[in-house]
């Protein structure tokens, strides 16, 4: 330690990579260093301890199926969003009063998420188209739910049934509500979607009449709802949604792809992304629904 | 193993992979090596390949980890292998990549431990006593001659942490400056600088180069052998 050893960065690189050190600068010091580095990296004579434990870990890992290769934040987020979305829709129920109502009238929870996903979870234009399709069918459907009124609609009945029946059901409730208790029904949040669909509180009666659901035809509506409930359960499970959706939406929008999108959302609970979005989009969706209905009526 | 035994050692660890004439570029020109094959087989579920990989990597990992966490290196290494086995399917790369990958896992676990106990590895009793013995003995030639692998690691571990890690990752784990930089979250140039400073400091501690030392012959012998082979 009497003097500073001097060598270059290149020498250091040579030593650390265990190459031959050139030159004769501080040869002894470099040789010592080389020895030190070689010693540090020397091979052990005995196999390392802990091998049995490590092998057990390796085996355990192999035997465990590939369950958790994927569960990343994305999947977790998907689950969270799905649950949250469902909870918000059921509890909050602002934009989805109709759906909630439909749920309360005995429709399956699966169908609730389905109908919401249908109307909300795709891109704005597609979503508008889909909801237009739904409401347009709604205008014909309850009356047409009797067998042969309009073949294409019957074929298409499963997919948009959620929108139909929920609006029809809302009409039903609205009519009875305004009849018995004065006007309270109009203020209830659950009728907002209906009012929006009708284009204003004053139009609800006319709109509901166009749906074929009035206080007078209540029994009809009930039977219609009952009849639509039969196909309803199959809806959330997917398959039927696509062809009917296409058949139906041909009415309003030429492109088969967009309606297809709208309906295929019903296949599952949707991806986390789309559901998460749908939370924020509820109002917009409602608007688009209203728009759709306006055009459907006119 | 001591420095004297090195004389009788036929070849240092890496000779199978690296010829003495290697250049900076040899990492890119090498064909897939034995270790890469082992890693691939291991990922395919070959237990014997795993054992071979473990036997090759574990000693180096332990040495590196001991510079960080001292006596807890074995525990940290065990955690490291546990996590490596769990995440094995996620690994993509060759043998060198696997070295770096496992080392990175080990480093994170070691730093976790350090954070948990909030003390530096230099406070380790083993290292303290070793430092004292190095400082007390001014006959450095004796030190290097009698030095064992464990002594060498302990001496390197007395360096500031960034230098110790750079030296150990490159010499013991066998990473190049770039790969070591990835493990450490640094650029390759910073790793080379840390290596250089660390080696200079070690050279000073190893003693007066002017003093006659038998071990210098040993070291030259190693270097000569590397040159010849």
């Amino acid at each position: 330690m009497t003097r500073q050893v001097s060598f270059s960065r290149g020498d250091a690189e040579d030593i650390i990579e265990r190459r031959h050190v050139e030159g004769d600068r501080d040869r002894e010091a470099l040789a010592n260093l080389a020895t030190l580095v070689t010693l540090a990296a020397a091979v052990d004579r005995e196999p390392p301890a802990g091998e049995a434990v490590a092998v057990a870990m390796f085996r355990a890992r192999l035997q465990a199926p590939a369950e958790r290769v994927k569960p990343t934040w994305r999947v977790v987020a998907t689950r969270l969003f799905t649950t949250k979305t469902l909870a918000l829709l059921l509890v909050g129920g602002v934009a989805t009063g109709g759906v909630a109502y439909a749920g309360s009238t005995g429709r399956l929870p699966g169908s609730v998420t389905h109908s919401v996903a249908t109307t909300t979870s795709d891109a704005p234009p597609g979503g508008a188209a889909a909801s237009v399709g739904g409401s347009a069918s709604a205008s014909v459907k309850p009356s047409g739910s009797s067998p042969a009124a309009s073949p294409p609609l019957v074929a298409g009945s499963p997919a948009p049934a959620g929108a139909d029946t929920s609006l029809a059901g809302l009409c039903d409730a609205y009519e009875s509500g305004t009849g018995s208790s004065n006007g309270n029904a109009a203020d209830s949040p659950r009728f907002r979607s209906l009012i929006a669909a009708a284009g204003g509180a004053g139009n609800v009666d006319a709109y509901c009449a166009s749906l074929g659901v009035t206080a007078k035809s209540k029994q009809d509506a009930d039977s219609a709802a009952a009849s639509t409930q039969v196909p309803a359960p199959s809806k959330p499970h997917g398959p039927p949604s696509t062809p009917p959706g296409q058949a139906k939406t041909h009415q309003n929008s030429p492109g088969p792809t967009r309606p297809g999108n709208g309906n295929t959302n019903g296949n599952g609970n949707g991806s986390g992304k789309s559901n998460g979005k749908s939370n924020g989009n509820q109002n917009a969706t409602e608007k688009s629904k209203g728009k759709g209905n306006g055009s459907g009526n006119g | 193993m001591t420095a004297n035994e090195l004389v009788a050692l036929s070849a240092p660890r890496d000779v199978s992979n690296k010829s003495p004439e290697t250049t900076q570029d040899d990492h890119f020109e090498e064909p897939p090596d034995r270790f890469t094959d082992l890693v691939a087989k291991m990922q395919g579920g070959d237990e014997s390949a795993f054992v071979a990989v473990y036997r090759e990597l574990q000693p180096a990992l332990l040495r590196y980890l001991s510079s960080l966490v001292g006596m807890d290196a074995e525990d940290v290494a065990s955690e490291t292998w546990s996590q490596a086995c769990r995440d094995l399917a996620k690994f993509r790369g060759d043998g060198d990549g696997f070295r770096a990958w496992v080392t990175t896992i080990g480093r994170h676990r070691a730093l976790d431990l350090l954070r948990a106990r909030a003390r530096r590895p230099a406070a380790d009793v083993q290292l303290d006593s070793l430092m004292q013995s190095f400082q007390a003995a001014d006959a450095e030639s004796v030190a290097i001659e009698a030095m064992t692998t464990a002594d060498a690691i302990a001496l390197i571990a007395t360096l500031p942490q960034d230098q110790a890690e750079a030296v150990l990752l490159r010499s013991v784990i066998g990473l190049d400056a770039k790969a070591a930089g990835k493990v450490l979250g640094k650029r390759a140039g910073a790793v080379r600088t840390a290596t250089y400073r660390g080696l200079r400091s070690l050279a000073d501690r190893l003693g007066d180069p002017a003093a006659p030392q038998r071990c210098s012959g040993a070291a030259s012998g190693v270097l000569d052998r590397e040159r010849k082979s």
Side-chain angles (χ1 to χ4, degrees):
Chain A
M1 307 209 182
T2 52
R3 66 180 177 90
Q4 284 278 310
V5 178
S6 74
F7 56 90
S8 68
R9 284 173 63 110
D11 291 338
E13 288 296 303
D14 285 342
I15 287 171
I16 205 73
E17 307 255 334
R18 284 190 276 166
R19 292 187 293 259
H20 169 60
V21 183
E22 292 175 0
D24 55 3
R25 260 174 322 184
D26 274 333
R27 195 160 189 283
E28 305 299 326
L30 295 181
N32 282 351
L33 269 186
T35 305
L36 182 74
V37 168
T38 306
L39 258 183
V43 180
D44 279 344
R45 293 220 173 103
E46 294 153 15
E51 187 174 296
V53 176
V55 168
M57 291 173 187
F58 182 72
R59 247 181 234 157
R61 186 57 210 146
L62 280 187
Q63 280 156 11
E67 6 98 57
R68 295 201 13 201
V69 177
K70 264 181 86 182
T72 53
W73 61 270
R74 186 185 292 266
V75 175
V76 174
T78 302
R79 285 184 196 137
L80 274 180
F81 271 121
T82 307
T83 313
K84 217 186 242 177
T85 305
L86 195 61
L88 280 175
L89 291 177
L90 291 178
V91 176
V94 174
T96 55
V99 178
Y101 176 84
S104 69
T105 53
R107 297 178 56 81
L108 293 173
S111 66
V112 173
T113 56
H114 160 74
S115 61
V116 172
T118 304
T119 53
T120 59
S121 59
D122 53 352
S131 56
V132 166
S135 58
S137 70
S139 65
V140 197
K141 188 48 190 329
S143 58
S145 63
S146 54
S150 53
L153 292 183
V154 170
S157 58
D164 298 351
T165 51
S166 60
L167 282 175
L170 271 181
C171 280
D172 196 6
Y174 187 88
E175 297 287 327
S176 57
T178 46
S180 59
S181 63
N182 37 6
N184 278 345
D187 300 332
S188 169
R190 48 192 275 228
F191 295 113
R192 268 186 217 163
S193 60
L194 176 63
I195 294 170
N203 297 335
V204 171
D205 287 347
Y207 175 68
C208 287
S210 77
L211 286 185
V213 180
T214 62
K216 281 159 239 151
S217 66
K218 198 181 173 192
Q219 298 90 345
D220 293 344
D222 283 343
S223 65
S227 68
T228 53
Q229 267 178 347
V230 179
S234 70
K235 177 183 37 157
H237 301 303
S241 61
T242 29
Q246 285 170 350
K248 168 141 311 178
T249 44
H250 280 306
Q251 294 176 333
N252 289 324
S253 72
T257 52
R258 278 204 258 143
N261 279 340
N263 283 315
T264 50
N265 284 328
N267 280 343
N269 290 328
S271 70
K273 258 184 266 166
S274 63
N275 274 326
K277 249 190 259 162
S278 72
N279 275 337
N281 283 345
Q282 281 174 357
N283 288 333
T285 313
E286 206 176 332
K287 262 178 240 156
S288 75
K289 218 195 256 176
K291 241 189 286 166
N293 280 316
S295 65
N297 283 333
Chain B
M1 176 170 312
T2 67
N4 282 337
E5 287 169 336
L6 279 178
V7 179
L9 193 65
S10 62
R13 176 176 65 93
D14 273 350
V15 161
S16 58
N17 287 347
K18 294 177 186 174
S19 66
E21 300 82 14
T22 51
T23 65
Q24 299 269 1
D25 297 332
D26 66 341
H27 283 283
F28 308 102
E29 292 166 1
E30 271 180 37
D33 61 332
R34 182 188 59 88
F35 195 65
T36 296
D37 290 344
L38 283 176
V39 168
K41 280 184 195 159
M42 171 186 67
Q43 277 197 289
D46 185 335
E47 188 174 305
S48 64
F50 172 79
V51 169
V53 167
Y54 179 83
R55 285 181 182 170
E56 174 142 349
L57 209 40
Q58 169 74 349
L61 185 66
L62 274 180
R63 291 175 203 178
Y64 167 65
L65 292 176
S66 73
S67 79
L68 292 172
V69 297
M71 306 292 277
D72 290 322
E74 298 242 1
D75 290 342
V76 174
S78 182
E79 286 176 32
T80 303
W81 284 106
S82 172
Q83 185 177 341
C85 287
R86 200 171 64 231
D87 295 344
L88 196 56
K90 289 183 195 163
F91 171 75
R92 297 277 179 281
D94 61 2
D96 285 344
F98 189 74
R99 279 184 223 277
W101 186 70
V102 170
T103 306
T104 304
I105 295 174
R107 182 169 193 268
H108 287 155
R109 298 285 74 77
L111 295 184
D112 286 348
L113 180 65
L114 284 183
R115 259 179 242 118
R117 66 185 192 192
R119 67 182 168 96
R120 285 293 314 273
D124 198 276
V125 179
Q126 188 189 9
L127 298 187
D128 273 351
S129 61
L130 194 88
M131 267 300 279
Q132 283 163 4
S133 73
F134 273 115
Q135 285 161 352
D138 61 335
E140 298 81 4
S141 58
V142 174
I144 188 71
E145 273 179 6
M147 202 179 274
T148 65
T149 292
D151 294 336
I153 301 299
L155 178 61
I156 295 171
T158 62
L159 294 171
Q161 186 178 329
D162 64 324
Q163 297 174 18
E165 284 193 84
V167 169
L168 288 172
L169 286 179
R170 300 189 63 190
S171 64
V172 175
I173 307 283
L175 304 178
D176 61 17
K178 196 177 161 196
K182 265 189 192 167
V183 173
L184 296 171
K186 289 178 173 178
R187 284 171 295 109
V191 172
R192 288 197 190 95
T193 301
T195 305
Y196 176 52
R197 290 189 180 143
L199 288 184
R200 276 183 58 119
S201 179
L202 287 172
D204 285 343
R205 285 183 206 179
L206 282 177
D208 182 2
Q213 295 167 9
R214 275 191 297 134
C215 70
S216 69
S220 314
V222 170
L223 291 175
D224 288 341
R225 227 182 338 275
E226 281 195 346
R227 199 181 315 148
K228 270 181 242 153
S229 60

